[in-house]
Amino acid sequence: MKKDRILVTGGTGYIGSHTVVELQKAGYPVVIIDNLSNSNREVLDGIERISGIRPDFVEADCTDLNALKKLFADYPGIKGIINFAASKAVGESVEKPILYYRNNLNTLLNLLDLMGPNGVKGIVFSSSCTVYGEPDQNPVTEQSPIKKATSPYGNTKQISEEIITDVITSGAPFKSVILRYFNPIGAHPSAEIGELPNGVPQNLVPYLTQTAMGIRKELSVFGDDYNTPDGSCIRDYINVVDLAKAHVIAVERMLNDASEDKIEIFNLGTGLGTSVLGLIDAFERSTGVKVPHKIVGRRAGDIEKVWADPSHANNVLGWKAETSLDDTMRSAWAWQLKLRERGIM
Ligand code: UFG
């Protein structure tokens, strides 16, 4: 049976591109809209090499309402949206709050505004474990308290969740699945797509693989005096392909009206906490490549420890993070090697 068309905003980005591949594998025709602010057109080639299908692509900014209207006119029959399009650097958001509120909130408002008139049945929203702040207790469930955001980026995720809730409560004729990601890492096992941050990476794994490659001299471990077994911060690192697969299930739930609930929220994590030093160990163990690193002071705004209770997603979505940390680290390294092979980094 022919499946409905899905609009993926931010579809050439890191998580977006992996999700497009999984949607295509499940038989969904995809149209991507992306302004290429943190990605490039070559990602479309990577997607096509994996799936054999080139997704439709519109280069435009989702804050541009007219561009979105044109997209809906040009690509009729869009039944689901997955909204990845957002700015996501925590530090930058502190310096440029207006940019963050404008990009992240106007994008969402534009999409919500156009969904009803265009007959779209649901929107999957990329949220983050950042909404839990520093949790009083780990693992966190979806009922754990939402803490005051520590950055404009984090605040855009909290406000976005509230906007979606208000719009749907007002009687809007569509559903939403809000996915709270923990720390997505790794790359597609084919090494055709992966994470390619602009400039100096802010996140741990791209910094680590670039250091292993010799592009960066040394990885700084931000603090070893936290109240954790080895003193470094703990996160729930989740394989990006596992994460991508959850989006396909979420889309299917919305399109098939599998739930009575008009809004559903799921934590997407593994349920396992790994420290920064533990992650470096896992990389060295699984690839045999050493990562020069040193302990430095804490990074402002860092959470000490957070990991997910993913049982709601496990039970309700029938989804589980499956890939081992070692396989994920190997995939991140294979992607870094591919970037070198292609002369990109
Ligand atoms: N870290 C280092 N050295 C580095 C980079 C990071 O020790 O060079 C540590 C951090 O201190 C932290 C852990 O590695 O303990 C993970 O840091 P990341 O920057 O990779 O990710 P965060 O946990 O800080 O997550 C943040 C936001 C998320 C957001 C994510 C990606 O909280 O909402 O960045 O942008 F999705």
Side-chain angles (χ1 to χ4, degrees):
M1 201 183 78
K2 199 170 167 299
K3 296 214 173 163
D4 291 315
R5 180 177 266 158
I6 308 298
L7 172 63
V8 181
T9 77
T12 52
Y14 174 44
I15 308 173
S17 57
H18 289 81
T19 300
V20 169
V21 166
E22 296 307 316
L23 285 166
Q24 291 177 325
K25 269 169 74 177
Y28 288 98
V30 173
V31 53
I32 293 175
I33 178 169
D34 204 302
N35 64 3
L36 303 180
S37 62
N38 198 23
S39 60
N40 56 61
R41 279 175 185 278
E42 284 70 61
V43 175
L44 300 169
D45 302 329
I47 292 171
E48 189 177 3
R49 277 195 293 270
I50 298 170
S51 68
I53 305 163
R54 196 168 185 85
D56 289 319
F57 175 67
V58 175
E59 183 180 346
D61 196 310
C62 294
T63 62
D64 180 347
L65 185 65
N66 287 327
L68 275 177
K69 282 184 178 162
K70 182 169 181 329
L71 185 152
F72 278 107
D74 291 347
Y75 297 91
I78 291 169
K79 287 284 174 266
I81 298 176
I82 308 183
N83 181 27
F84 295 105
S87 302
K88 69 169 184 85
V90 176
E92 184 188 48
S93 79
V94 177
E95 286 154 30
K96 302 176 183 167
I98 293 176
L99 176 81
Y100 273 67
Y101 288 112
R102 179 178 289 139
N103 277 353
N104 296 6
L105 301 183
N106 285 352
T107 290
L108 178 65
L109 290 169
N110 284 346
L111 292 170
L112 294 172
D113 208 9
L114 295 177
M115 284 176 71
N118 288 286
V120 184
K121 291 185 78 174
I123 180 165
V124 178
F125 180 72
S126 301
S127 190
S128 165
C129 67
T130 193
V131 302
Y132 301 116
E134 182 75 62
D136 305 322
Q137 239 183 315
N138 276 297
V140 291
T141 71
E142 291 78 0
Q143 279 70 49
S144 296
I146 301 295
K147 296 282 180 68
K148 187 173 163 34
T150 54
S151 71
Y153 160 75
N155 209 20
T156 66
K157 293 297 172 192
Q158 293 191 0
I159 296 170
S160 294
E161 290 196 4
E162 289 172 359
I163 291 174
I164 291 169
T165 308
D166 288 346
V167 169
I168 291 186
T169 307
S170 78
F174 49 80
K175 294 187 168 184
S176 182
V177 177
I178 292 171
L179 300 176
R180 292 180 179 155
Y181 311 150
F182 284 67
N183 287 54
I185 60 166
H188 195 270
S190 65
E192 292 291 355
I193 52 173
E195 190 172 9
L196 184 53
N198 279 339
V200 181
Q202 305 294 315
N203 295 116
L204 179 58
V205 170
Y207 205 105
L208 186 158
T209 56
Q210 289 190 15
T211 306
M213 186 56 94
I215 299 165
R216 314 276 160 208
K217 195 164 139 276
E218 215 169 22
L219 170 68
S220 295
V221 174
F222 297 137
D224 70 347
D225 56 352
Y226 286 99
N227 181 24
T228 59
D230 66 20
S232 64
C233 291
I234 294 180
R235 298 285 183 279
D236 185 335
Y237 294 97
I238 172 161
N239 179 280
V240 68
V241 176
D242 287 346
L243 186 72
K245 289 178 178 165
H247 293 75
V248 179
I249 300 172
V251 161
E252 251 145 33
R253 275 181 87 69
M254 295 186 316
L255 298 190
N256 300 339
D257 281 318
S259 168
E260 293 281 297
D261 298 330
K262 296 195 83 182
I263 306 173
E264 294 187 289
I265 301 181
F266 297 98
N267 283 343
L268 296 182
T270 65
L272 296 173
T274 304
S275 70
V276 176
L277 292 169
L279 198 83
I280 296 172
D281 270 355
F283 180 85
E284 293 186 337
R285 181 179 66 227
S286 58
T287 63
V289 181
K290 288 281 168 217
V291 184
H293 61 277
K294 62 169 182 220
I295 310 290
V296 301
R298 294 180 174 198
R299 180 172 73 176
D302 259 339
I303 304 298
E304 182 170 88
K305 44 182 180 266
V306 60
W307 65 94
D309 177 342
S311 50
H312 188 50
N314 297 163
N315 298 334
V316 177
L317 299 181
W319 167 93
K320 201 169 187 308
E322 291 169 336
T323 313
S324 71
L325 188 58
D326 283 13
D327 281 346
T328 302
M329 296 317 287
R330 277 191 284 268
S331 74
W333 182 232
W335 167 243
Q336 188 69 60
L337 290 170
K338 177 74 86 169
L339 290 174
R340 172 57 51 95
E341 188 188 303
R342 295 209 179 124
I344 296 168
M345 283 222 116

